Amino acid sequence: TGKADARLSIVPLITEKNTSVVVRWHSADMKSCKVSGDNGDTWVGLSGELLSKKITERVQYTLACEDMRGKKYIDTLPVSIR
C-alpha cells in the first residue's frame, strides 16, 4: 500500500458572482470520501472532477475521507467572490 492521502483542489478560488468553479479531489488508500460545500453541493466518491452550483457568496468546501482503519482525513478550501 502507498501513502494514505486525500486532497481537494478548486479552480478558481476567487470567482465572479453567479459562476461555477471546478471542484476536483483525489484520494489514495481510502475506504470512502465525501465532498460537501456549505451551499448544498455534495458528492461521494474516491475521486472526481465536477462543476459546482453557481457561486453567489463565499463557500467553504470540505473533503472528508476515511481510510480502512477508520482514520479520518479532512481537507478544506474556501471559494470567494471577486
Side-chain angles (χ1 to χ4, degrees):
T1 54
K3 185 179 179 308
D5 190 29
R7 233 164 261 220
L8 183 63
S9 70
I10 298 175
V11 182
L13 284 170
I14 301 172
T15 188
E16 306 295 333
K17 193 169 181 171
N18 292 317
T19 58
S20 293
V21 295
V22 177
V23 181
R24 291 188 190 97
W25 73 100
H26 76 270
S27 65
D29 285 350
M30 293 296 157
K31 183 175 66 182
S32 65
C33 291
K34 179 180 176 183
V35 177
S36 51
D38 45 26
N39 61 347
D41 274 338
T42 308
W43 304 292
V44 174
L46 296 178
S47 66
E49 178 174 332
L50 290 153
L51 218 47
S52 73
K53 289 182 177 171
K54 297 250 189 301
I55 305 287
T56 57
E57 58 188 1
R58 185 182 186 278
V59 178
Q60 174 126 324
Y61 281 92
T62 302
L63 169 64
C65 295
E66 195 172 303
D67 71 10
M68 305 303 172
R69 295 184 204 88
K71 184 179 173 193
K72 290 190 166 45
Y73 292 75
I74 309 280
D75 198 7
T76 61
L77 280 175
V79 176
S80 304
I81 301 292
R82 194 183 306 282

